[in-house]
Amino acid sequence: YISIIDIMRTISVLSGKGGVGKTTVVANLSAALTKLGFDVTAVDLNLTTPNLGFYFGYHLADISLHDILKNVDKLKDGIYIHPTGVKVIPGSLSVEDVVGVDISNINKVISGLKSDFVILDSAAGLGKEALTSLSVCDEALIVTNPEIPSLADSLRAIKVAEKVGKEIRGVVLNRVKGNRNEVSEEEIERMLGYPIIAKIPEDKWIAKSLESKVPLVYLNPNSRARIEFQNLAYAI
């Protein structure tokens, strides 16, 4: 493996609340960067409710991040290469697997990876898992919806990221329907203090991509959401 950038970049994808489509963004950003020729590893750092594996078909993987955090020597066997080229470290869906997990080992996991980009699918909110994701990343990406409750939660996530000294790459406005009651882009940027670098529309093909276990950027080249995910990769 030969990196095409000088230093591996670790990006934590954050949301102040669940349901905003954060994991969809992680899966498709990872795939879009891979499509540009980068080596990308997507890590499901949501230990209590991991969903990233569903997007690539690794939700029942033999070795999960939970196993790796208990024994870092399993790292090599817990990296799955999707047909699109994206490397995926999924979480375990078993509640029992949460017991005995040493989340402090995530530093060893990240340092043991060799990629141009490591994209961390953080847990929603500002609990221990999300804070751990922030502690090991170089940059943070905020995913939100154009609605006041989502934006308020995103602002809290931004404040925490700023407090621990992380660079915020920008805001991904997800699940945009174009309704008149949605908060305008200008108001969102004013409220959050960071630019919107991608505006992902609500798209029926996202559900189809989840069903097929192939990220949208590889599934339908004419999808409006696919175009925005690719633009997000260019922005990153």
Side-chain angles (χ1 to χ4, degrees), residues 214-228:
V214 177
L216 178 60
V217 295
Y218 279 89
L219 189 64
N220 181 5
N222 298 316
S223 161
R224 292 186 302 132
R226 197 280 309 173
I227 295 170
E228 282 299 309

Side-chain angles (χ1 to χ4, degrees), residues 74-85:
K74 294 184 177 182
L75 175 59
K76 182 179 178 181
D77 296 324
I79 301 174
Y80 299 86
I81 303 178
H82 190 262
T84 58

Side-chain angles (χ1 to χ4, degrees), residues 23 28 55 74 132-133 174 181 194 197 216-218 225:
T23 304
N28 282 282
Y55 287 78
K74 294 184 177 182
T132 298
S133 177
N174 195 38
N181 61 336
Y194 289 92
I197 59 175
L216 178 60
V217 295
Y218 279 89

Side-chain angles (χ1 to χ4, degrees), residues 110-231:
I110 300 301
S111 63
L113 297 176
K114 294 181 180 180
S115 286
D116 297 308
F117 290 93
V118 174
I119 311 297
L120 304 176
D121 188 12
S122 305
L126 297 172
K128 184 177 180 179
E129 294 166 54
L131 293 176
T132 298
S133 177
L134 268 177
S135 72
V136 297
C137 74
D138 304 310
E139 313 161 38
L141 188 64
I142 307 299
V143 179
T144 190
N145 298 148
E147 303 162 352
I148 289 297
S150 179
L151 293 168
D153 289 331
S154 294
L155 182 58
R156 284 191 283 272
I158 286 172
K159 294 302 181 184
V160 171
E162 289 177 335
K163 189 172 183 178
V164 297
K166 299 300 178 179
E167 177 185 359
I168 297 176
R169 294 292 301 172
V171 175
V172 177
L173 196 57
N174 195 38
R175 307 194 69 176
V176 178
K177 300 180 177 69
N179 298 333
R180 285 189 294 177
N181 61 336
E182 291 181 341
V183 182
S184 69
E185 293 181 54
E186 293 78 9
E187 182 64 16
I188 291 170
E189 291 184 335
R190 186 197 65 77
M191 180 179 179
L192 300 184
Y194 289 92
I196 295 170
I197 59 175
K199 184 179 177 182
I200 315 297
E202 190 76 48
D203 192 319
K204 64 181 181 180
W205 278 94
I206 290 177
K208 293 181 179 179
S209 71
L210 179 56
E211 181 181 357
S212 66
K213 300 176 180 60
V214 177
L216 178 60
V217 295
Y218 279 89
L219 189 64
N220 181 5
N222 298 316
S223 161
R224 292 186 302 132
R226 197 280 309 173
I227 295 170
E228 282 299 309
F229 282 126
Q230 204 67 58
N231 287 339

Side-chain angles (χ1 to χ4, degrees), residues 52-80:
L52 183 63
F54 286 109
Y55 287 78
F56 295 94
Y58 300 124
H59 50 289
L60 298 177
D62 291 334
I63 298 178
S64 69
L65 179 62
H66 293 71
D67 299 309
I68 297 168
L69 290 174
K70 295 174 186 178
N71 182 358
V72 181
D73 290 338
K74 294 184 177 182
L75 175 59
K76 182 179 178 181
D77 296 324
I79 301 174
Y80 299 86

